[in-house]
Amino acid sequence: MGSLIDELRRREAAAREEAEEIRRGIAELRERLARVEERLSRLEIAREEVAEILDETGADHAAAEGGGEAGPAAEATPASSPFGEGSPIGVLTVPPWRPDLEVSVLPGAYQDLMEVIADADHPLRAAQVAEAAGLSVDRSKVEGLRSKLKRLVERGWLIEDGPGRFTLPPRRGEAP
């Protein structure tokens, strides 16, 4: 009987060792995932900021040349883009709010944010929006989300009711 107990102890030790090895692997993967998510967040923010700068520069340039305000369709067309057909450079992805625009004109991620804020009965902070939308509440992810919320404020879709507290404007039928 002693050999059966010894065999069970040996198998138990082997299983413990395997479990510990898997735990180490999971910890390494979590660290790797965190690094990649941080890099991804920085790249998303950089891309959004560059697109915003190019949008503003393109609108300023078009207004100076044409003497008027450039609308989303006038800012860039694939044929006028030096970067080839379909280039997003100079394209305004979040148009300024107007009474005749629906939330459906916004990119999907922005539509989701608008829905979360519309469902709230009070102004939300970026971390609360992330949590309500089922997004990561990691600091870097929340900062990227805050950038999107600020863009919606700049374009008149949202207002900031106090520092960092986002909500819908009180009257949706009038220009903010």
Side-chain angles (χ1 to χ4, degrees):
M1 259 316 181
S3 65
L4 180 59
I5 297 291
D6 290 341
E7 178 62 20
L8 288 174
R9 284 185 180 141
R10 187 192 65 72
R11 289 183 183 192
E12 182 181 346
R16 275 196 183 99
E17 187 177 314
E18 184 179 2
E20 186 55 37
E21 183 179 319
I22 291 171
R23 283 188 196 99
R24 283 191 301 272
I26 290 170
E28 289 172 10
L29 286 173
R30 281 188 182 136
E31 289 174 16
R32 183 176 165 200
L33 177 61
R35 287 191 306 269
V36 170
E37 284 180 336
E38 173 68 25
R39 189 174 82 228
L40 175 61
S41 176
R42 288 193 320 264
L43 289 168
E44 286 173 343
I45 292 169
R47 178 186 43 78
E48 289 171 356
E49 290 299 317
V50 167
E52 185 173 332
I53 290 168
L54 291 172
D55 287 345
E56 291 169 3
T57 304
D60 292 345
H61 182 67
E65 281 185 1
E69 192 173 322
E75 289 179 15
T77 60
S80 67
S81 174
F83 298 99
E85 189 164 322
S87 172
I89 294 178
V91 174
L92 191 62
T93 58
V94 177
W97 181 83
R98 298 186 318 256
D100 62 324
L101 289 181
E102 297 290 327
V103 172
S104 61
V105 302
L106 297 173
Y110 289 89
Q111 289 180 30
D112 294 342
L113 299 179
M114 292 293 293
E115 182 180 334
V116 166
I117 290 177
D119 290 345
D121 58 352
H122 60 282
L124 298 175
R125 297 196 174 279
Q128 293 171 312
V129 173
E131 187 175 337
L135 302 172
S136 172
V137 291
D138 289 344
R139 188 172 152 199
S140 63
K141 294 294 184 184
V142 171
E143 288 306 314
L145 178 66
R146 187 180 331 280
S147 173
K148 287 179 179 172
L149 293 169
K150 293 276 191 180
R151 182 165 296 110
L152 288 168
V153 169
E154 291 169 6
R155 306 280 164 81
W157 291 90
L158 296 177
I159 59 170
E160 243 183 301
D161 183 23
R165 296 167 34 105
F166 302 93
T167 190
L168 294 174
R171 292 183 300 271
R172 297 301 293 164
E174 301 175 9

